[in-house]
Amino acid sequence: SEALEIAYETNKINSEDFELLQYIGYLEFQVNNLDKAIIYFNKAIKINPDNITSRYNLGLCLMCKENYSDAID
């Protein structure tokens, strides 16, 4: 999608922006690229471990992959 392309280009400039990483994760989730979404939510969490939205969305991805034990953590 165009939004993903723009987000990836922006990420090349600023790879430490947790909100952008979270947004990329969300966009990947929306197009059912769960593995990529998980990577980006984990990157966002690494930068900002207290961000509830990233953790919640990571849990949703893991549940969609039926990885329930990790989703609970």
Side-chain angles (χ1 to χ4, degrees), residues 18-19 22 41 44-58:
F18 88 91
E19 290 176 327
Q22 178 178 276
F41 289 133
I45 291 166
K46 185 176 180 183
I47 294 169
N48 187 350
D50 296 328
N51 185 272
I52 295 169
T53 304
S54 293
R55 291 185 175 278
Y56 175 80
N57 288 331
L58 174 61

Side-chain angles (χ1 to χ4, degrees), residues 39-71:
I39 289 168
Y40 280 91
F41 289 133
N42 276 320
K43 286 181 179 187
I45 291 166
K46 185 176 180 183
I47 294 169
N48 187 350
D50 296 328
N51 185 272
I52 295 169
T53 304
S54 293
R55 291 185 175 278
Y56 175 80
N57 288 331
L58 174 61
L60 285 178
C61 288
L62 293 169
M63 289 190 66
C64 288
K65 290 181 61 89
E66 298 181 2
N67 188 345
Y68 303 115
S69 61
D70 286 343

